[in-house]
Amino acid sequence: MAWTKQVLRVNLTAGTCVAEPLNMDWAKDYLGQRGLATKYLVNEIDPKVDPLADGNKLIFVTGPLTGTMAATGGRYSVVTKGPLTNAIACSNSGGFFGAELKFAGWDMVIFEGTSPKPVYLLINDGTAELVDAAHLWGKTVWETEEVIKKQHQDPQIRVASIGRAGENKVLFAGIVNDLHRAAGRSGVGAVMGSKNLKAVAVRGTLTSAYQIANPEAFFTAVDAGKKVLAGNGVTGVGLPTYGTQVLMNVINELGALPTRNHKDTQFESANSIGGEAMHEKRETDGKANLVTNGACFGCTIACGRISRMDPGHFSVKDKPQYHGASGGLEYEAAWALGAANGVKDLEALTYANFLCNEDGYDPISFGATVGAAMELYELGILTEAEVGLKLTWGSAEALVTLAEWTAKGEGFGVAIGQGSKRLCAKYGRPELSMSVKGQEFPAYDGRALQGMGLAYATSNRGACHLRGYMVSPEVLGIPVKMEPQATEGKPAMLKAFQDLTAVVDSSGLCLFTTFAWGLQDIQPQIQAACEGDWSDDRLLLIGERIWNMEREFNLAAGITGKDDTLPPRLLNEPANSGPQKGAVARLDIMMPEYYQVRGWSADGVPTDATRTRLGL
Amino acid sequence: MQKSLHLDPNKCTGCLQCEMACAWENHRSFTIAKSRIKVFTFHEPGRFVPYTCTQCDEAWCMMACPTDAIRLDPVTGAKVVLEPSCVGCKVCTIACPFGTINYVSDTGKVQKCDLCVGASGPACEKACPTGAITYVDADWTGLDKMRQWAGKTDTNPATV
């Protein structure tokens, strides 16, 4: 069995760590990772609980293919109720932490209660203990990882931790493992901070914690999958060469790059902040921003960016700790820190991104919130006296200063740390928050790409590109080409993407494989690793079941169909340039059809027939 | 012809497929803690470097072993640990200048790279997706580097 069948339950209030068997009936219905942990969470918490209160729980979870030779089989997720959205939160991360947790013999760690003082969890195979973290509180992610490894004299320990952002309960704080891989979105790091849990440190050395059901079939399927990834233009060439940043110029040329808080749909300086720019030698020191690409555990794509800054850049001139190589800009971060604010200084974006990694906060929500603040400033609603800075569009100085303040919880960084929804509401202009259900948009304009607009409006964790990546059909033609402005067929296609994504997110694999892989590539790997019959139909039913389970949690939390919408700017203000000029988001056409294909009522509630069909 | 593992850090992405392949080959587990090849991440310079036993001709581990538990495989040139003879004294781990032979507490024996003796070539090499690990003519591990330099040789400078 590809599950370890062991769950570690950590009661932070009582200070206890207890092993319990994994509910295998649930594993059969929800697979693992996202689906399985969400099942545990919805079964155990009050959906109306304050996300930062004692009653919320925080689950670290792996999938059946985590810690295997399946390409990209190293993912883990963190599942909780999110403070940014008050909805289900599920943030997925790569790096090496997830596999290590599996090697230590755990499918899942459930944290409940609140520790009376800062602690970290130390897992050494079958043993787990809570260790005093007084000396780590106030430290960054980077420092925390270093101190824990030194303290235990074991450089092979893997650490997932929060930085000061999580401690300060920045509502978009993430959890960072392996220095620059993050369970980034929805504020899962703030929940960890609210529990006084600084880090999870794991060393896993067991050889028989889990088994592959059919090794021969597994290696056949895994090898075939790797060949598909290597032979695909996106996963075989584009991503290793340019990372996700391969998209910057493509999306900009299509007129789908939200710019300056979504006032514009094209950024005149996109070329300065994209993947190609990271390869170019700087005029200042003759070196490129990009040092190399790097892989997460078991990943044969290796899209990760490892960057080194210009040591003479104003942001790091006297800060040698930022002169070494570290996690560089991915497309989403480059967009949010750059185009969303009109900032075109690649080095400034890299520095802000380093800070996001170092202190554990989501560059998407951070960058987009800075964009909202800049618009408030340009409208005269926010003043220099109030902010302590000139927040003009395109100011790299403002961006990096706000990044520092947000990390440290200083000055106006405190307001930024509440996210754009609360910031804009505070200043009387809630409509200027470019968010859905409180979470900021990622890097695709929901007017320019109608399917993405619908995906944002219906995502169970607020605006997100990783819940139904309609960019695939609307831009890349995967699995079929759909015109960006078309609405026909989009609801059904989105449902298919959402359900398949839920399966991938529950398997231990990376969603980026789906640039090349379809279910026909993924299913044989799951089938060979896990005992029993895992047909395409069963997997897709699992995906649909997960989606509806998340939906029902959100409904019980008080979110309704009325929240399945977009900011007025996307519904009423037409895209102002490029190929999609004149477009507004046509949720009015797509939403009723989406509810219908989902088997939901006209107000967005799963019908009894749907619930029965899915076994909910 | 004997062959050698040839490791090229410039092609390594740090994915650890090689470590899993090694652990699987020898322990039927993907647990990389049991791998005989390790990939090191040098964060500051941004480098990934795979490293394992180079199969010394005059192998210090072999010479240091008091129970004659490390033998030369005449076909591959690998120095192979004979588990039944190994008493876990760890003297070899002290003798090895490179740290590439290590104790396994689960078995009470040492382990080192044996080039997957008995298999059809090293598992790490087969698993590497980027060609950072290759298995090449032991006498010509420098061939690629020579070719690169040869390509830069200018035989007729006057015409440039």
Coordinates of all heavy atoms in Angstrom, one line a residue, chain A residues 236-264:
Chain A
G236 N 9.1 19.7 -21.1 CA 10.5 19.3 -21.5 C 11.4 20.4 -21.8 O 12.6 20.2 -21.7
V237 N 10.9 21.5 -22.3 CA 11.8 22.6 -22.7 C 11.4 24.0 -22.0 O 12.2 24.6 -21.3 CB 11.7 22.8 -24.2 CG1 12.7 23.9 -24.6 CG2 12.1 21.5 -25.0
G238 N 10.2 24.4 -22.2 CA 9.8 25.7 -21.7 C 10.0 25.9 -20.2 O 10.6 26.8 -19.8
L239 N 9.5 24.9 -19.4 CA 9.6 25.1 -17.9 C 11.0 25.0 -17.4 O 11.4 25.8 -16.6 CB 8.6 24.1 -17.2 CG 7.1 24.5 -17.3 CD1 6.3 23.3 -16.7 CD2 6.9 25.8 -16.6
P240 N 11.8 24.0 -17.9 CA 13.2 23.9 -17.4 C 14.0 25.2 -17.8 O 14.8 25.6 -17.0 CB 13.8 22.7 -18.0 CG 12.7 21.9 -18.7 CD 11.5 22.8 -18.7
T241 N 13.7 25.7 -19.0 CA 14.5 26.8 -19.4 C 14.1 28.2 -18.8 O 14.9 28.9 -18.3 CB 14.4 27.0 -21.0 OG1 14.6 25.7 -21.6 CG2 15.4 28.0 -21.5
Y242 N 12.8 28.4 -18.8 CA 12.3 29.7 -18.3 C 11.5 29.6 -17.1 O 11.0 30.6 -16.5 CB 11.4 30.4 -19.4 CG 12.2 30.7 -20.7 CD1 12.0 30.1 -21.9 CD2 13.2 31.7 -20.6 CE1 12.8 30.4 -23.0 CE2 14.0 32.0 -21.7 CZ 13.7 31.3 -22.9 OH 14.5 31.6 -24.0
G243 N 11.2 28.4 -16.6 CA 10.3 28.3 -15.4 C 8.9 28.7 -15.8 O 8.6 28.8 -17.0
T244 N 8.1 28.9 -14.9 CA 6.7 29.3 -15.2 C 6.7 30.7 -15.8 O 5.8 31.1 -16.4 CB 5.8 29.4 -13.9 OG1 6.5 30.1 -12.9 CG2 5.5 28.0 -13.4
Q245 N 7.9 31.4 -15.7 CA 8.1 32.7 -16.3 C 8.0 32.6 -17.8 O 8.0 33.7 -18.5 CB 9.4 33.3 -15.8 CG 9.4 33.9 -14.5 CD 9.0 35.4 -14.6 OE1 8.0 35.7 -15.2 NE2 9.9 36.3 -14.2
V246 N 8.0 31.5 -18.4 CA 7.8 31.3 -19.8 C 6.5 32.0 -20.2 O 6.3 32.3 -21.4 CB 7.8 29.8 -20.2 CG1 6.6 29.1 -19.7 CG2 7.9 29.6 -21.7
L247 N 5.6 32.2 -19.3 CA 4.3 32.7 -19.6 C 4.2 34.3 -19.7 O 3.3 34.8 -20.3 CB 3.3 32.3 -18.5 CG 2.9 30.8 -18.6 CD1 2.2 30.4 -17.3 CD2 1.9 30.6 -19.7
M248 N 5.1 35.0 -19.1 CA 5.0 36.4 -19.0 C 4.7 37.1 -20.3 O 3.7 37.8 -20.4 CB 6.2 37.0 -18.3 CG 6.2 38.5 -18.0 SD 4.9 38.9 -16.7 CE 5.8 38.5 -15.2
N249 N 5.5 36.9 -21.3 CA 5.3 37.6 -22.5 C 4.1 37.0 -23.3 O 3.4 37.8 -24.0 CB 6.6 37.6 -23.4 CG 7.7 38.5 -22.8 OD1 7.4 39.6 -22.5 ND2 8.9 38.0 -22.7
V250 N 3.9 35.7 -23.2 CA 2.8 35.1 -23.9 C 1.5 35.7 -23.4 O 0.6 36.1 -24.2 CB 2.8 33.6 -23.6 CG1 1.5 32.9 -24.2 CG2 4.1 33.0 -24.1
I251 N 1.3 35.8 -22.0 CA 0.1 36.3 -21.5 C -0.1 37.8 -21.7 O -1.2 38.3 -22.0 CB 0.0 36.0 -20.0 CG1 0.1 34.5 -19.7 CG2 -1.2 36.6 -19.3 CD1 -1.0 33.7 -20.3
N252 N 1.0 38.5 -21.7 CA 1.0 39.9 -22.0 C 0.5 40.2 -23.4 O -0.3 41.1 -23.7 CB 2.3 40.6 -21.7 CG 2.2 42.1 -21.7 OD1 1.4 42.7 -21.1 ND2 3.1 42.7 -22.5
E253 N 1.1 39.5 -24.3 CA 0.8 39.7 -25.8 C -0.7 39.4 -26.0 O -1.3 39.9 -26.9 CB 1.7 38.9 -26.7 CG 3.0 39.6 -26.9 CD 4.1 38.6 -27.4 OE1 3.8 37.6 -28.0 OE2 5.3 38.9 -27.1
L254 N -1.2 38.4 -25.2 CA -2.6 38.0 -25.4 C -3.6 39.1 -24.8 O -4.8 39.0 -24.9 CB -2.8 36.7 -24.7 CG -4.1 35.9 -25.1 CD1 -4.0 35.5 -26.6 CD2 -4.2 34.7 -24.3
G255 N -3.0 40.1 -24.1 CA -3.8 41.1 -23.4 C -4.5 40.5 -22.2 O -5.6 40.9 -21.9
A256 N -3.8 39.6 -21.5 CA -4.5 39.0 -20.3 C -3.6 39.1 -19.0 O -3.8 38.4 -18.1 CB -4.7 37.5 -20.6
L257 N -2.7 40.1 -19.1 CA -1.8 40.3 -17.9 C -2.3 41.5 -17.1 O -2.1 42.7 -17.5 CB -0.3 40.7 -18.4 CG 0.7 40.6 -17.3 CD1 1.0 39.2 -16.9 CD2 2.0 41.3 -17.8
P258 N -3.0 41.2 -16.0 CA -3.5 42.3 -15.2 C -2.5 43.2 -14.7 O -1.4 42.8 -14.2 CB -4.2 41.6 -14.0 CG -4.2 40.1 -14.4 CD -3.1 39.9 -15.3
T259 N -2.7 44.5 -14.9 CA -1.6 45.5 -14.6 C -2.2 46.7 -13.8 O -3.3 47.1 -14.0 CB -1.0 46.0 -16.0 OG1 -0.5 44.9 -16.7 CG2 0.1 47.0 -15.7
R260 N -1.4 47.1 -12.8 CA -1.8 48.2 -12.0 C -3.2 48.0 -11.4 O -4.1 48.7 -11.7 CB -1.7 49.6 -12.7 CG -0.3 50.0 -12.9 CD -0.1 51.3 -13.8 NE -0.3 50.9 -15.2 CZ 0.7 50.6 -16.0 NH1 1.9 50.7 -15.6 NH2 0.4 50.3 -17.3
N261 N -3.3 47.0 -10.6 CA -4.5 46.6 -9.9 C -5.7 46.4 -10.9 O -6.8 46.8 -10.6 CB -4.9 47.7 -8.9 CG -5.8 47.1 -7.7 OD1 -5.6 46.0 -7.3 ND2 -6.7 47.9 -7.3
H262 N -5.3 45.7 -12.0 CA -6.3 45.4 -13.0 C -7.0 46.6 -13.7 O -8.0 46.4 -14.3 CB -7.5 44.5 -12.4 CG -7.1 43.1 -12.1 ND1 -6.2 42.7 -11.2 CD2 -7.6 41.9 -12.7 CE1 -6.0 41.4 -11.2 NE2 -6.9 40.9 -12.1
K263 N -6.3 47.7 -13.6 CA -6.8 48.9 -14.4 C -6.5 48.6 -15.9 O -7.3 48.9 -16.8 CB -6.1 50.2 -14.0 CG -6.7 50.7 -12.7 CD -5.8 51.9 -12.1 CE -5.8 53.1 -13.1 NZ -7.1 53.8 -13.1
D264 N -5.3 48.0 -16.1 CA -4.9 47.6 -17.5 C -4.8 46.1 -17.6 O -4.7 45.4 -16.7 CB -3.6 48.3 -17.8 CG -3.6 49.8 -17.5 OD1 -4.6 50.5 -18.0 OD2 -2.7 50.3 -16.9

